[in-house]
Every structure is written in structure tokens, then in C-alpha cells.
Amino acid sequence: MKKILLTAVAICCASVSFAQAPRTQGPTPEQKAINTTSTTDLQDWMRYLTSEECRGRLTGDIGYDRAAQFVADQFKAWGLEPGGDKGTYFQDFEHPYTIVTSTEGYFHLHMPMGSDWVTKEYDYPDNYMVGGTSDTGLIEQSEMIYVGYGITAPELGYDSYKGLDVKGKVVVCERDVPYTGQDEDKQRAWMPYQYHSNKMTNAYEHGAAGLVYISTSGNPNPGFNKGFIYCCVGEAAVKDMFAGTGKTHEAVVEQMKKTLKPISFKLNTKCDIKAFGEFHPEGVGHNVVGILRGSDPTLAPEYLTLGGHLDHIGFQPYLCEGATDNASGSVIVMGAAKNLATSGFKPKRTIIFSLFGGEETGLIGSKWMADHPVMPNENCKALINIDCLSVGYGFSASVASKNNSLWEYMENAAAKVDRPFMRRQGRDKIVTRPRTDEANFFLKGVPTVAPSAYGSTVRPPYHIPGDTMDYVNFDLVRDAVKWMTYALMDLSTDSNLKIYKKF
């Protein structure tokens, strides 16, 4: 009897224990959000964006349109609300563009040698690149004139063309401006002359037949001039141009920076330039915008934006895939969007996901959105812009000092991913040419974050063919998606979020 009683008690206790055991629960929406996007997703998306079908994603070109439609289709499938024009995912803006139509272009330099001339060709893309906004044409045996920075600025007392007759000739021009100081008034005064299109139009208006630009990177910036031919060259070609002048390129540039006075002179060389460009003034660009609406009636009118540029430079004249710049940023934005939109996560604040067009041609798409915001700029608590985040091992973020509370969110999110984090002090003012999309929103008073990676031992090719998926560290990209997901979850749910900003 005693044995039977003990057995009954044991069964009873076991039943009570089983009844009181907690039920097994599935992952929370927050836990789902971190692991929804896979490395395979990221690779598949990037493989399409860098494919021949997307043609290098030059804004305005059909290849960019295909890339934009691809992203919009994903946003729709994930349940994001359209944030573009007329109920679409596209925010359109005017965007004239030029495509390079042939691989048959070239640059030849003719150099005197005694009573004869020798002709030299230069390797592509290290010492010769086509002009991304050149017209179609051929220049042969043209005289060459070095015009320094190619600037005519009467208000600054600076004229690279003073006393020169460049009509029908080819001018050789530096990029940027000679002023490198920190005086903000002077930086502002020089800023308009930093743009490539300004230099080319100035040469055109002085009657030059063409321009040789000292910079070996593909340049799709707008500024087409009918009949004007140009190309880009590297230091090997420049050294040959300066041979026999009694000057070195390095010394001349240093002198112009030191004195802020132009140095221009006739070179002893002649050149041939053959170019193939087709201008499309009717071009239209698109920002792709999806919205995850906030669930809190009080906080939903506030919002966060995660963005990056979708475009690259097209064919120059071979396919420029732009894997790092900026298919990497594009898939990170897409990955965070999928994580948050499909996991059941409910942000209190609204989150906008935006992929910008026209970055490579002068931050045109982001400026359009900053001027025509989807929601009021003053309601944006932070804009995070991803550009070229695909190589290295650690994370970093640039934040203006007046918005430095944003660092905590970025650092805490990086710690959750188990990546080292480094703070970078951002600028509190922009007085020179803006270089990244987030700058256009910063100028409107929006607190911005510019994430990046560090620790790379290699640098992918920049604005030339070769920026391929082979350079991309997909472990880093996958963790960057998690990093952004954690940061957006924290920023969108913190009821006490306080970020200084002044409108």
C-alpha cells in the first residue's frame, strides 16, 4: 500500500509539474527581424543590380529604370507602403544624361622628338578614361594648352584663361579648386567652381574644341555641350605633356595652391581624341521610396529614413558594375527593409526606406527629396545614409557634434552584432561642395548619420570597370543589415528620443 501511495503521489507531482511548465514560444518579431534577410538574399539582389541587364545603373538610362523597378517590386512584396508620386514607389525628377555608345574612343599624344613627332597611346582605364558627357566627335593633331584649374571667377580675381587664345584647341584642366584653406567665407566663394560641369562649360565658352581632364575616373556629371569633346587622363600622360616645358606638374599645382594665382601655358604636345556620346535631354530619374508606418498615434508623424544611392555610372564605355559603389549600400537598405517589414515588428515612429537616383551626377535625387520631402523635414528624427559599405571588418559612423546622441544608438547596435565600432566626428556646417546624399538633408536641418566600414586592406576600383562583387565581404554586408535593423528598432521605439536639431 505504501508503494502504491508513493507512486500515485509521484504521478500527481509530475502532472502538476507538467501543467506548470512554460509553453514553448516562437521568436519575437524583434528576433525575427534580425534574421529574416539571408546572405543569399543579399548576393542575389546584388547580382541583379550589377548585371548587364541593369547596364551600370546610370540615372535616366533604361538600366537604372530596371534596377529601380526591381527594388520597388521587393518593397511591394514585403508590404511597404508606396512613398512616391501618385501612389507609386517612384519619386520622379528631371535628369538629362549622356551615354557612351562605343568602345572605339581613344586618346593619343603626339610629342616632338628632334625634327619628328612620336605618338603614344595610353592604357585604359589606368591612364585614359572616356569623357562621360562628351559629344561624339574626332579631334586630330590639336594644339594643347594647360589652363590649371580652368576657372574664370572675376569676383575672386582669378582667370585661368586671361590672355589665352584657346579657340579650336584642347585645354588641359585640373579637378577641384586651388583654395584648400579653412576660411568658411572663402570656401563658399570657391565652391561653385569645384564642379566638373563648370570647368567644361567654361572651356566651351572660351572656344576650346575639347578638354583633357586630369582624373582617371568615369565622370557622368551633367553639363553637356554640343560639339565639345573631352576625355580623362592619368599622371603618366600628364608627365609626357609637361616634358620639355621646364616645369613639373607637381610643382605647378603646388604653386597655384600656395599663391592662389593661375598658371597657364602652351604645351609642346598635340593630341587626338575620339569620343562617342549620345545626349538625352528628356531623361527622368527616380528615387525609390517605401514606408513602414508607425503604430503609435503620437509618435507616427515622426520618422526615420534609411537611404543610399542606387545609381552608378553606366558604360564608360565598358560595363561599370558598381558593386561597392553603391550596390552594397542598396542591398543593405533593402535587407533592413525586408527585416522590419516582414517580421511583424511594429515601430512607434514611421520608417522610410529610400534609394536615391542621380547621386553620381551631383546628388540630384537626394536634393529633390530634401526639397520635396515625403513627410515634413522637421519631423525627421534622423536620416542614415549608406554609401560604399562592403569592405573591412569594423563599423564606424560620422555624426555632427550637435546630434552626437545618435552615436549611442549606432554604437549599441554595432555591439549587438559583435563588430568593433569607431566614432567619427562629422561636420557641423557644410560650406564646400556636398559629396554625399545625406548632406542635402543636413542642409535642411535634419540630423544625419553616415555609416561606413574600416579595416580594409584593399580599395575596390573607383568609377571604372572592376568594381565587382569579388571585392564585397558579404559577412560584413550581412552584419551591416543587422546593424541598421537594430539601430532602427531602437530609434523607432524609444519614446524619450532626444536629438538636438535646429530648423
Side-chain angles (χ1 to χ4, degrees):
M1 177 65 70
K2 185 175 182 181
K3 182 176 181 181
I4 294 173
L5 180 61
L6 290 174
T7 302
V9 171
I11 292 172
C12 182
C13 290
S15 300
V16 172
S17 176
F18 178 79
Q20 293 178 344
R23 293 182 179 180
T24 302
Q25 296 182 356
T28 66
E30 289 79 7
Q31 291 169 332
K32 286 182 181 179
I34 295 305
N35 297 302
T36 296
T37 298
S38 69
T39 301
T40 300
D41 288 333
L42 300 168
Q43 291 171 329
D44 288 346
W45 300 338
M46 189 179 293
R47 192 171 292 112
Y48 179 74
L49 294 178
T50 59
S51 69
E52 288 272 356
E53 187 172 350
C54 290
R55 295 169 50 88
R57 308 187 307 282
L58 176 65
T59 306
D61 181 65
I62 189 173
Y64 179 84
D65 293 345
R66 290 167 180 162
Q69 186 64 57
F70 174 76
V71 175
D73 289 345
Q74 309 310 310
F75 280 3
K76 182 178 181 179
W78 300 333
L80 289 174
E81 177 185 326
D85 303 329
K86 300 177 181 179
T88 71
Y89 291 93
F90 304 119
Q91 187 184 49
D92 296 342
F93 51 91
E94 293 182 2
H95 193 278
Y97 67 99
T98 302
I99 58 173
V100 180
T101 59
S102 174
T103 62
E104 300 300 316
Y106 56 73
F107 170 74
H108 299 158
L109 192 65
H110 304 287
M111 299 171 286
M113 185 165 291
S115 58
D116 296 323
W117 290 79
V118 297
T119 301
K120 187 172 181 180
E121 300 180 19
Y122 296 88
D123 57 311
Y124 171 94
D126 292 336
N127 274 292
Y128 158 70
M129 278 289 292
V130 299
T133 55
S134 177
D135 200 355
T136 293
L138 173 63
I139 295 173
E140 294 184 289
Q141 297 281 325
S142 173
E143 293 183 33
M144 305 183 75
I145 298 177
Y146 178 76
V147 293
Y149 288 93
I151 293 171
T152 299
E155 75 281 12
L156 296 173
Y158 197 97
D159 187 1
S160 299
Y161 290 87
K162 185 176 181 180
L164 293 179
D165 178 9
V166 300
K167 291 181 180 178
K169 302 179 177 67
V170 169
V171 298
V172 180
C173 180
E174 306 285 348
R175 63 181 300 157
D176 292 321
V177 297
Y179 183 74
T180 58
Q182 299 302 310
D183 183 288
E184 292 183 3
D185 290 336
K186 291 181 179 178
Q187 287 177 331
R188 289 189 185 93
W190 283 99
M191 182 177 68
Y193 303 102
Q194 290 181 306
Y195 291 90
H196 308 308
S197 55
N198 179 288
K199 296 169 184 288
M200 293 172 195
T201 298
N202 195 31
Y204 175 78
E205 291 178 347
H206 277 87
L211 179 145
V212 172
Y213 205 41
I214 301 176
S215 172
T216 48
S217 62
N219 170 23
N221 285 191
F224 183 86
N225 296 289
K226 184 64 178 175
F228 190 73
I229 311 301
Y230 93 96
C231 69
C232 306
V233 299
E235 283 299 322
V238 176
K239 184 176 180 180
D240 290 337
M241 291 176 198
F242 273 67
T245 64
K247 304 176 178 67
T248 67
H249 179 229
E250 295 82 3
V252 169
V253 170
E254 185 61 31
Q255 184 70 7
M256 286 189 291
K257 290 180 178 179
K258 181 179 179 180
T259 64
L260 291 185
K261 295 186 182 300
I263 299 176
S264 303
F265 52 90
K266 181 179 177 180
L267 297 166
N268 296 326
T269 53
K270 299 179 181 181
C271 73
D272 306 329
I273 307 175
K274 190 173 185 179
F276 297 87
E278 184 178 281
F279 180 55
H280 291 264
E282 77 290 351
V284 175
H286 322 280
N287 297 322
V288 189
V289 189
I291 300 174
L292 181 60
R293 194 67 64 177
S295 60
D296 186 294
T298 302
L299 296 179
E302 299 178 352
Y303 69 101
L304 307 153
T305 299
L306 180 65
H309 73 90
L310 180 62
D311 65 314
H312 195 53
I313 66 172
F315 287 96
Q316 295 272 317
Y318 301 95
L319 177 65
C320 294
E321 298 179 21
T324 293
D325 186 15
N326 183 40
S328 65
S330 299
V331 301
I332 290 168
V333 173
M334 293 172 68
K338 182 181 180 182
N339 279 354
L340 295 171
T342 65
S343 62
F345 172 73
K346 301 293 184 184
K348 293 181 180 179
R349 293 182 178 85
T350 297
I351 302 175
I352 294 177
F353 300 95
S354 180
L355 288 175
F356 306 115
E359 192 270 356
E360 303 290 9
T361 49
L363 313 185
I364 295 172
S366 58
K367 186 177 188 307
W368 182 264
M369 180 174 283
D371 290 340
H372 304 84
V374 177
M375 296 173 65
N377 283 324
E378 57 266 30
N379 289 7
C380 186
K381 305 301 285 186
L383 178 137
I384 305 171
N385 184 68
I386 312 288
D387 196 353
C388 300
L389 203 170
S390 66
V391 294
Y393 60 82
F395 290 143
S396 180
S398 175
V399 177
S401 60
K402 65 181 180 181
N403 301 320
N404 61 13
S405 60
L406 283 170
W407 263 326
E408 290 185 27
Y409 295 92
M410 305 307 294
E411 190 166 12
N412 290 340
K416 293 175 184 178
V417 185
D418 197 25
R419 290 274 180 178
F421 180 83
M422 179 172 63
R423 297 186 177 196
R424 290 188 296 117
Q425 185 63 62
R427 68 277 184 272
D428 283 321
K429 296 181 181 178
I430 298 177
V431 294
T432 59
R433 173 187 170 189
R435 299 283 183 173
T436 57
D437 284 317
E438 52 89 21
N440 283 319
F441 299 92
F442 183 86
L443 290 168
K444 296 289 188 180
V446 175
T448 61
V449 183
S452 60
Y454 68 87
S456 173
T457 57
V458 297
R459 182 184 179 187
Y462 177 73
H463 281 205
I464 59 176
D467 178 6
T468 68
M469 288 176 62
D470 293 338
Y471 285 91
V472 175
N473 177 355
F474 277 99
D475 286 341
L476 183 78
V477 172
R478 178 203 61 220
D479 282 355
V481 171
K482 294 182 178 181
W483 183 30
M484 291 300 103
T485 303
Y486 276 125
L488 288 171
M489 286 195 296
D490 291 344
L491 287 163
S492 67
T493 56
D494 186 351
S495 300
N496 298 314
L497 180 64
K498 293 182 180 180
I499 303 170
Y500 170 79
K501 56 183 182 177
K502 182 179 179 182
F503 283 88

